Amino acid sequence: MVGDDAQALYSFRAAEPRHILEFDRVFPGATTVVLETNYRSSQQILDVANAVGADATVGFSAVLQAARTAPGVGPQLVRCADEDAQTDAVCDRILSHREAGTALHEQAVLVRASHHSALLELELGARRIPFLKYGGLRFIEAAHVKDMLAAFRLADNPSDVVAWFRLLQLLVGVGPATAHRVVQELGLLGSRETPPSDVLGAWPQAAAHLPDAARPAAGALAAALAARPGESIPTHAERLRIAVAPLIEATYPDVSARLTDLDTLVAASSKVARLSDVAADHVLEPPRSTGNLAGPPVIDEDWLVISTVHSAKGLEWDVVHLLQVTDGNIPSDMALSSAAGLEEERRVFYVALTRARHALHLYMPERYHHHPNGRDDRHGWAQPSRFLSDRVRSRCDEVTERNHRPDAAGNLSAVNAGERISVALEGLWV
């Protein structure tokens, strides 16, 4: 029998390290041969992985030694101001490695949970860096994300027929035939074309074709499409989110995670000149029950890999970027109800580390903003992953990345809270 107790990840399928560690008890005549030579990673990467294993309470019987003797690059622990700084740091290092000769498909971004890469996927799209995702839907390909992007597109161009068809069919009792009648009444089909500025003006007549139960939600959506005088793009995006959210709640399961994704899109709107620019690089498709799996890249023949750690098991890349190395993410807070769950998370971390051949980057955001890009800068401080013990960190090169974006919360001008309170109090007697 051949096995690795340090890579037993699927306890729900009875994959537990004790099956290997206790093998000689079940079969007393068995001989155990520990394979400690590693033909994949540099010794610097293996030193970090061995240190993680040394902190474990059970297992990790092999102390890995690299077969190659050539010196490698030390693993990097990147402290980031927040998730935006993490996204920038990852993109910058990906491109730096590519310029140095490491193709995109020889690099991987690993995440503990699929949604951990949402902001990065948006930034990769903005920078025209092609990628393929395993172990989950590409963020931008999820059905509810496409629904929100359709609303963004309509806000800038009310004549977008595809976007109208997508959103109208989210309404209760509305199918393709009803949606067709509504769009036709808006003047977007046939020989009669309505100028974009007049489309929303025709909404009262078009809404008459909708079932009574669908009209309140449809009216709220139509009202949110037009920007108010002097309204900022993020504020308009938030109004659209409020209008679209009930449709998402009524259409899809797992609502909580999907609504969080809508917040991510609202945050992304603060970085564009128009709402439609958030969706400019993505083609809308007719509504489906779920988003498509990530398809082949279309920009060029090279592409970055994004994968969950579980899906990456057994694979390897020249360069690995591991996101969100903070407590609650790695280890996942959902797995901490038992000591066995914690140890399985340690093995997940170990597997992520040992996917890298030559270079390893671990990213650790220090803050998670409650309202990204909000002036109040409300945030929670993150704790480094408990797996980053002193023993582990001593084998990494630590660097700090700050958020250099001009719209970052930390770069906004200070607000005189005292003055604002005084104005509010004076207003009570006016």
Side-chain angles (χ1 to χ4, degrees):
M1 184 185 76
V2 179
D4 187 352
D5 57 280
Q7 298 192 47
L9 303 188
Y10 298 97
S11 59
F12 65 91
R13 296 196 308 201
E16 299 179 12
R18 64 182 179 85
H19 296 311
I20 296 173
L21 299 175
E22 300 176 3
F23 189 81
D24 56 350
R25 297 184 189 178
V26 180
F27 301 94
T31 300
T32 299
V33 179
V34 180
L35 305 177
E36 295 186 322
T37 302
N38 182 284
Y39 295 90
R40 173 188 297 154
S41 305
S42 67
Q43 190 59 52
Q44 288 90 336
I45 293 172
L46 295 180
D47 286 343
V48 175
N50 289 334
V52 170
D55 291 334
T57 59
V58 63
F60 293 90
S61 52
V63 179
L64 300 179
Q65 299 296 319
R68 64 175 189 256
T69 58
V73 179
Q76 200 175 59
L77 178 59
V78 186
R79 302 176 65 96
C80 305
D82 52 27
E83 289 184 281
D84 278 341
Q86 174 184 249
T87 296
D88 288 340
V90 173
C91 290
D92 291 345
R93 282 165 174 76
I94 288 170
L95 295 177
S96 177
H97 280 293
R98 189 186 191 192
E99 290 299 314
T102 303
L104 291 179
H105 66 267
E106 290 295 347
Q107 302 186 54
V109 175
L110 301 186
V111 290
R112 175 60 184 86
S114 181
H115 68 273
H116 288 172
S117 63
L119 284 176
L120 175 64
E121 292 175 41
L122 291 173
E123 185 64 17
L124 290 173
R127 298 198 189 198
R128 303 294 195 275
I129 301 175
F131 66 94
L132 195 63
K133 186 173 182 179
Y134 299 98
L137 298 176
R138 287 178 59 161
F139 175 76
I140 212 69
E141 290 294 335
H144 60 286
V145 173
K146 289 185 177 183
D147 296 335
M148 188 68 179
L149 293 179
F152 283 180
R153 292 170 65 112
L154 279 180
D156 286 344
N157 178 20
S159 298
D160 192 322
V161 175
V162 174
W164 274 115
F165 267 98
R166 183 174 191 95
L167 289 176
L168 287 170
Q169 292 183 75
L170 293 177
L171 297 168
V172 60
V174 176
T178 301
H180 185 277
R181 288 194 293 270
V182 172
V183 174
Q184 189 170 37
E185 188 66 39
L186 290 173
L188 302 179
L189 298 175
S191 58
R192 179 172 63 91
E193 289 192 11
T194 302
S197 57
D198 297 338
V199 170
L200 293 181
W203 174 254
Q205 294 78 23
H209 294 279
L210 295 171
D212 291 341
R215 291 180 186 176
L221 176 61
L225 290 177
R228 295 171 179 171
E231 185 176 46
S232 68
I233 291 175
T235 301
H236 190 190
E238 174 62 15
R239 286 201 299 114
L240 286 167
R241 184 200 66 80
I242 293 172
V244 171
L247 305 181
I248 302 301
E249 291 176 332
T251 304
Y252 303 109
D254 304 321
V255 172
S256 178
R258 296 178 189 270
L259 295 182
T260 299
D261 288 345
L262 301 191
D263 291 333
T264 300
L265 290 172
V266 172
S269 71
S270 66
K271 306 166 189 172
V272 297
R274 301 178 306 165
L275 280 173
S276 56
D277 288 345
V278 178
D281 303 322
H282 308 283
V283 178
L284 295 177
E285 296 179 357
R288 304 183 179 189
S289 60
T290 185
N292 292 331
L293 289 174
V298 296
I299 298 178
D300 55 30
E301 295 181 355
D302 195 14
W303 63 90
L304 177 73
V305 173
I306 298 178
S307 175
T308 60
V309 178
H310 286 79
S311 295
K313 190 171 182 285
L315 303 177
E316 58 186 77
W317 294 270
D318 284 349
V319 180
V320 166
H321 308 264
L322 181 59
L323 303 190
Q324 312 280 15
V325 189
T326 54
D327 236 38
N329 293 319
I330 300 176
S332 170
D333 53 4
M334 302 296 290
L336 301 182
S337 59
S338 67
L342 174 61
E343 290 307 310
E344 181 169 349
E345 288 295 299
R346 190 189 308 277
R347 296 191 293 274
V348 171
F349 185 45
Y350 177 90
V351 166
L353 301 178
T354 54
R355 300 309 93 197
R357 296 191 192 104
H358 305 303
L360 174 65
H361 302 282
L362 311 177
Y363 300 88
M364 186 176 64
E366 295 179 336
R367 301 190 298 177
Y368 289 89
H369 293 282
H370 299 172
H371 301 101
N373 304 294
R375 291 190 63 87
D376 58 10
D377 193 29
R378 293 176 59 194
H379 62 270
W381 288 100
Q383 293 295 321
S385 170
R386 65 190 69 188
F387 300 145
L388 294 175
S389 64
D390 291 340
R391 189 198 323 248
V392 174
R393 296 177 74 155
S394 68
R395 289 160 173 79
C396 297
D397 299 327
E398 293 198 31
V399 297
T400 300
E401 291 281 344
R402 294 299 171 190
N403 195 335
H404 302 297
R405 299 186 185 187
D407 59 347
N411 298 328
L412 295 174
S413 58
V415 176
N416 188 331
E419 179 181 345
R420 292 178 62 180
I421 293 173
S422 297
V423 170
L425 290 175
E426 291 173 1
L428 296 175
W429 286 274
V430 173

